[in-house]
Each structure stands twice: as C-alpha cells, then as structure tokens.
Coordinates of all heavy atoms in Angstrom, one line a residue:
L1 N -4.9 -11.0 -9.1 CA -4.4 -9.8 -8.3 C -5.4 -8.7 -8.3 O -5.6 -8.0 -7.4 CB -3.1 -9.4 -8.9 CG -1.9 -10.4 -8.7 CD1 -0.6 -9.9 -9.3 CD2 -1.6 -10.6 -7.1
Q2 N -5.9 -8.4 -9.5 CA -6.9 -7.3 -9.7 C -8.1 -7.5 -8.9 O -8.6 -6.5 -8.3 CB -7.1 -7.1 -11.2 CG -6.0 -6.6 -12.0 CD -6.3 -6.5 -13.5 OE1 -7.0 -7.5 -14.0 NE2 -6.0 -5.5 -14.1
L3 N -8.5 -8.7 -8.7 CA -9.8 -9.0 -8.1 C -9.7 -9.1 -6.6 O -10.5 -8.6 -5.8 CB -10.4 -10.3 -8.5 CG -11.1 -10.3 -10.0 CD1 -11.4 -11.7 -10.3 CD2 -12.3 -9.4 -9.9
F4 N -8.5 -9.6 -6.0 CA -8.5 -9.9 -4.6 C -7.4 -9.2 -3.8 O -7.4 -9.2 -2.6 CB -8.3 -11.4 -4.5 CG -9.4 -12.2 -5.1 CD1 -9.1 -13.0 -6.2 CD2 -10.7 -12.1 -4.7 CE1 -10.1 -13.8 -6.8 CE2 -11.7 -12.8 -5.3 CZ -11.4 -13.6 -6.4
S5 N -6.3 -8.6 -4.4 CA -5.2 -8.1 -3.7 C -5.6 -7.0 -2.8 O -5.0 -6.8 -1.6 CB -4.2 -7.6 -4.7 OG -4.6 -6.6 -5.5
H6 N -6.6 -6.2 -3.2 CA -7.0 -5.0 -2.2 C -7.5 -5.4 -0.9 O -7.4 -4.8 0.1 CB -7.9 -4.1 -3.0 CG -9.1 -4.7 -3.4 ND1 -9.1 -5.6 -4.5 CD2 -10.4 -4.5 -3.1 CE1 -10.4 -5.9 -4.7 NE2 -11.2 -5.3 -3.9
F7 N -8.1 -6.6 -0.8 CA -8.6 -7.2 0.4 C -7.5 -7.4 1.4 O -7.6 -7.0 2.6 CB -9.5 -8.3 0.2 CG -10.7 -8.2 -0.6 CD1 -10.9 -8.7 -1.8 CD2 -11.7 -7.3 -0.1 CE1 -12.1 -8.6 -2.5 CE2 -12.9 -7.2 -0.8 CZ -13.1 -7.7 -2.0
F8 N -6.5 -8.0 0.9 CA -5.3 -8.4 1.8 C -4.5 -7.1 2.2 O -4.0 -6.9 3.3 CB -4.3 -9.4 1.1 CG -5.1 -10.7 0.8 CD1 -5.5 -11.0 -0.5 CD2 -5.2 -11.5 1.8 CE1 -6.2 -12.1 -0.7 CE2 -5.9 -12.8 1.5 CZ -6.4 -13.1 0.3
L9 N -4.4 -6.1 1.2 CA -3.6 -4.9 1.5 C -4.3 -4.0 2.5 O -3.6 -3.2 3.1 CB -3.3 -4.2 0.2 CG -2.3 -4.9 -0.7 CD1 -2.1 -4.3 -2.1 CD2 -0.9 -5.1 0.0
K10 N -5.6 -4.1 2.6 CA -6.4 -3.3 3.6 C -5.9 -3.6 5.0 O -5.7 -2.7 5.9 CB -7.8 -3.6 3.5 CG -8.5 -3.0 2.3 CD -8.7 -1.5 2.3 CE -9.6 -1.1 1.1 NZ -9.8 0.4 1.2
V11 N -5.5 -4.9 5.2 CA -5.0 -5.3 6.5 C -3.5 -4.7 6.7 O -3.2 -4.1 7.8 CB -4.8 -6.8 6.6 CG1 -4.2 -7.2 7.9 CG2 -6.3 -7.4 6.5
A12 N -2.7 -4.7 5.7 CA -1.4 -4.1 5.8 C -1.5 -2.7 6.0 O -0.5 -2.0 6.7 CB -0.6 -4.3 4.4
A13 N -2.5 -2.0 5.5 CA -2.7 -0.5 5.7 C -2.7 -0.2 7.2 O -2.2 0.9 7.6 CB -3.9 0.0 5.1
I14 N -3.2 -1.0 8.0 CA -3.3 -0.8 9.5 C -1.9 -0.7 10.1 O -1.6 0.2 10.9 CB -4.1 -2.0 10.1 CG1 -5.5 -1.9 9.6 CG2 -4.1 -1.8 11.7 CD1 -6.3 -3.2 10.1
F15 N -1.0 -1.6 9.6 CA 0.3 -1.6 10.2 C 1.3 -0.5 9.6 O 2.3 -0.3 10.1 CB 1.0 -3.0 9.9 CG 0.2 -4.1 10.6 CD1 -0.7 -4.8 10.0 CD2 0.5 -4.4 12.0 CE1 -1.4 -5.9 10.5 CE2 -0.2 -5.4 12.6 CZ -1.2 -6.1 11.9
Y16 N 0.8 0.1 8.4 CA 1.6 1.2 7.8 C 1.0 2.6 8.1 O 1.5 3.5 7.5 CB 1.6 0.9 6.3 CG 2.7 0.0 5.9 CD1 2.6 -1.5 6.1 CD2 3.9 0.4 5.3 CE1 3.6 -2.4 5.8 CE2 4.9 -0.6 4.9 CZ 4.7 -1.9 5.2 OH 5.7 -2.7 4.7
S17 N 0.2 2.6 9.0 CA -0.5 4.0 9.2 C 0.6 4.9 9.8 O 1.5 4.7 10.5 CB -1.6 3.8 10.3 OG -1.1 3.3 11.5
G18 N 0.4 6.2 9.5 CA 1.3 7.3 9.8 C 1.1 8.5 9.0 O 0.1 8.6 8.3
T19 N 2.0 9.4 9.0 CA 1.9 10.7 8.3 C 3.1 11.1 7.5 O 3.1 12.2 7.0 CB 1.6 11.8 9.3 OG1 2.7 11.9 10.3 CG2 0.3 11.6 10.1
N20 N 4.1 10.2 7.4 CA 5.3 10.6 6.6 C 5.0 10.8 5.1 O 5.5 11.7 4.5 CB 6.4 9.6 6.7 CG 6.9 9.5 8.1 OD1 6.8 10.4 8.9 ND2 7.5 8.3 8.5
V21 N 4.1 9.9 4.6 CA 3.8 10.1 3.1 C 2.2 10.1 3.1 O 1.5 9.6 4.0 CB 4.2 8.9 2.3 CG1 5.8 9.0 2.2 CG2 3.8 7.5 2.8
S22 N 1.6 10.7 2.0 CA 0.2 10.6 1.8 C -0.1 10.4 0.4 O 0.7 10.7 -0.6 CB -0.4 12.0 2.2 OG 0.0 13.0 1.3
C23 N -1.1 9.5 0.1 CA -1.6 9.3 -1.2 C -2.6 10.3 -1.6 O -3.7 10.5 -1.0 CB -2.3 7.9 -1.2 SG -3.0 7.5 -2.9
N24 N -2.2 11.1 -2.7 CA -3.0 12.2 -3.2 C -4.3 11.7 -4.0 O -5.2 12.4 -4.4 CB -2.3 13.1 -4.1 CG -1.7 12.5 -5.3 OD1 -1.0 11.4 -5.1 ND2 -1.7 13.1 -6.4
I25 N -4.4 10.3 -4.2 CA -5.6 9.7 -4.8 C -6.7 9.5 -3.8 O -7.8 9.9 -3.9 CB -5.2 8.5 -5.6 CG1 -4.2 8.7 -6.6 CG2 -6.4 7.8 -6.3 CD1 -3.6 7.5 -7.3
C26 N -6.3 8.7 -2.7 CA -7.4 8.4 -1.7 C -7.3 9.2 -0.5 O -8.0 9.1 0.4 CB -7.2 6.8 -1.4 SG -5.7 6.4 -0.6
L27 N -6.2 10.0 -0.4 CA -6.1 11.0 0.7 C -5.8 10.3 2.0 O -6.1 10.9 3.1 CB -7.3 11.9 0.8 CG -7.7 12.7 -0.5 CD1 -8.9 13.6 -0.2 CD2 -6.5 13.5 -1.0
K28 N -5.1 9.2 2.0 CA -4.8 8.4 3.2 C -3.2 8.6 3.5 O -2.4 8.7 2.6 CB -5.1 7.0 3.1 CG -6.5 6.6 2.9 CD -7.4 7.0 4.1 CE -8.9 6.5 3.9 NZ -9.7 6.7 5.1
G29 N -2.9 8.7 4.8 CA -1.5 8.9 5.1 C -0.9 7.7 5.7 O -1.6 6.8 6.3
F30 N 0.4 7.5 5.5 CA 1.1 6.3 6.0 C 2.5 6.7 6.5 O 3.0 7.7 6.1 CB 1.2 5.2 4.9 CG -0.2 4.9 4.3 CD1 -0.6 5.5 3.2 CD2 -0.9 3.9 4.9 CE1 -1.8 5.2 2.6 CE2 -2.2 3.6 4.4 CZ -2.6 4.2 3.3
R31 N 3.1 5.8 7.3 CA 4.5 6.1 7.6 C 5.4 5.8 6.4 O 6.4 6.5 6.3 CB 5.0 5.2 8.8 CG 4.8 3.7 8.7 CD 5.2 3.0 9.9 NE 5.0 1.6 9.8 CZ 5.8 0.7 9.3 NH1 7.0 1.2 8.8 NH2 5.5 -0.6 9.2
K32 N 5.0 5.0 5.5 CA 5.6 4.8 4.2 C 4.7 3.9 3.4 O 3.8 3.2 3.9 CB 6.9 4.1 4.3 CG 6.9 2.7 4.8 CD 8.4 2.2 4.8 CE 8.5 0.7 5.2 NZ 9.8 0.2 5.2
F33 N 4.9 4.0 2.0 CA 4.1 3.0 1.2 C 4.7 1.7 1.2 O 5.9 1.5 1.5 CB 4.0 3.6 -0.3 CG 3.2 4.9 -0.4 CD1 3.9 6.1 -0.8 CD2 1.9 5.0 0.0 CE1 3.2 7.2 -0.9 CE2 1.1 6.1 -0.1 CZ 1.8 7.3 -0.5
L34 N 4.0 0.7 0.7 CA 4.5 -0.7 0.5 C 5.5 -0.8 -0.6 O 5.4 -0.1 -1.6 CB 3.3 -1.7 0.3 CG 2.3 -1.9 1.4 CD1 1.1 -2.7 0.9 CD2 3.0 -2.6 2.5
P35 N 6.4 -1.7 -0.5 CA 7.3 -2.0 -1.7 C 6.4 -2.6 -2.7 O 5.4 -3.3 -2.5 CB 8.3 -3.0 -1.1 CG 7.6 -3.6 0.0 CD 6.7 -2.6 0.6
Y36 N 7.0 -2.5 -4.0 CA 6.2 -3.1 -5.2 C 7.1 -3.4 -6.3 O 8.0 -2.5 -6.6 CB 5.0 -2.3 -5.5 CG 4.1 -3.0 -6.5 CD1 3.1 -3.8 -6.1 CD2 4.2 -2.7 -7.9 CE1 2.3 -4.5 -7.0 CE2 3.5 -3.4 -8.9 CZ 2.4 -4.2 -8.4 OH 1.7 -4.9 -9.3
G37 N 6.9 -4.4 -7.0 CA 7.6 -4.8 -8.3 C 8.2 -6.1 -8.2 O 8.4 -6.6 -7.2
R38 N 8.6 -6.6 -9.4 CA 9.3 -7.9 -9.5 C 10.6 -7.8 -8.8 O 11.1 -8.6 -8.1 CB 9.5 -8.3 -10.9 CG 8.2 -9.0 -11.5 CD 8.3 -9.1 -13.0 NE 7.2 -9.9 -13.5 CZ 6.0 -9.5 -13.6 NH1 5.6 -8.3 -13.3 NH2 5.0 -10.4 -14.0
I39 N 11.3 -6.6 -9.0 CA 12.4 -6.3 -8.1 C 11.8 -5.1 -7.3 O 11.8 -4.0 -7.8 CB 13.6 -5.8 -8.9 CG1 14.1 -7.0 -9.8 CG2 14.8 -5.4 -8.0 CD1 15.2 -6.6 -10.8
A40 N 11.5 -5.5 -6.1 CA 10.6 -4.5 -5.4 C 11.2 -3.1 -5.1 O 12.3 -3.0 -4.7 CB 10.2 -5.1 -4.0
R41 N 10.4 -2.0 -5.5 CA 10.8 -0.7 -5.2 C 10.2 -0.4 -3.8 O 9.1 -0.6 -3.5 CB 10.2 0.2 -6.2 CG 10.5 -0.2 -7.7 CD 9.9 0.9 -8.7 NE 8.4 1.0 -8.5 CZ 7.5 0.2 -9.1 NH1 7.9 -0.8 -9.8 NH2 6.2 0.5 -8.9
E42 N 11.1 0.3 -3.0 CA 10.6 0.8 -1.8 C 9.6 1.9 -1.9 O 9.7 2.7 -2.9 CB 11.8 1.3 -0.9 CG 12.7 0.2 -0.4 CD 12.1 -0.7 0.8 OE1 11.0 -0.2 1.3 OE2 12.6 -1.7 1.1
N43 N 8.7 2.1 -1.0 CA 7.8 3.2 -0.8 C 7.0 3.5 -2.2 O 7.0 4.6 -2.6 CB 8.7 4.5 -0.5 CG 7.9 5.6 0.2 OD1 6.9 5.3 0.8 ND2 8.4 6.8 0.0
A44 N 6.3 2.5 -2.6 CA 5.8 2.5 -3.9 C 4.2 2.4 -3.9 O 3.5 3.3 -4.4 CB 6.3 1.5 -4.9
L45 N 3.6 1.4 -3.2 CA 2.2 1.0 -3.4 C 1.4 1.5 -2.2 O 1.7 1.2 -1.0 CB 2.1 -0.5 -3.5 CG 0.7 -1.1 -3.6 CD1 0.1 -0.7 -4.9 CD2 0.7 -2.6 -3.4
C46 N 0.4 2.3 -2.5 CA -0.6 2.7 -1.5 C -1.5 1.5 -1.1 O -2.1 1.0 -1.9 CB -1.5 3.8 -1.9 SG -2.9 4.2 -0.8
P47 N -1.4 1.0 0.2 CA -2.2 -0.2 0.6 C -3.7 0.1 0.7 O -4.4 -0.9 0.8 CB -1.6 -0.5 2.0 CG -1.1 0.8 2.5 CD -0.6 1.6 1.3

C-alpha cells in the first residue's frame, strides 16, 4: 500500500476535484476527501 497506492489514488483525485475541502499539506482542493479505514470514515483521505 505504501509503495503503490498513491498511483491509483492520483486517478481518483481527478474525479474528486472541487473546492469544498482543501488539504493543508499539499494545498489541493476537492469536493470531498476519499473515505478511509477498515470501517471507512467519510471525507478522510486526500487522494
């Protein structure tokens, strides 16, 4: 996951583009963040 997941999530970032939320680490905006977790939390992961 550490090695390869970011390649696949870059594609997801295209479909989540927007301005509702922004990542203060990479300074990218999205309509929402991706869900994440074994019991997935909404609006969690910056793609």
Side-chain angles (χ1 to χ4, degrees):
L1 289 176
Q2 290 174 318
L3 285 173
F4 303 117
S5 59
H6 56 291
F7 294 114
F8 298 102
L9 290 173
K10 289 284 187 181
V11 177
I14 298 172
F15 297 97
Y16 276 74
S17 63
T19 59
N20 292 335
V21 296
S22 68
C23 178
N24 57 313
I25 301 172
C26 66
L27 305 180
K28 299 291 184 180
F30 304 94
R31 59 184 174 84
K32 64 177 181 178
F33 293 118
L34 289 170
Y36 189 82
R38 282 168 167 76
I39 301 175
R41 308 182 301 277
E42 288 286 354
N43 205 27
L45 179 69
C46 173

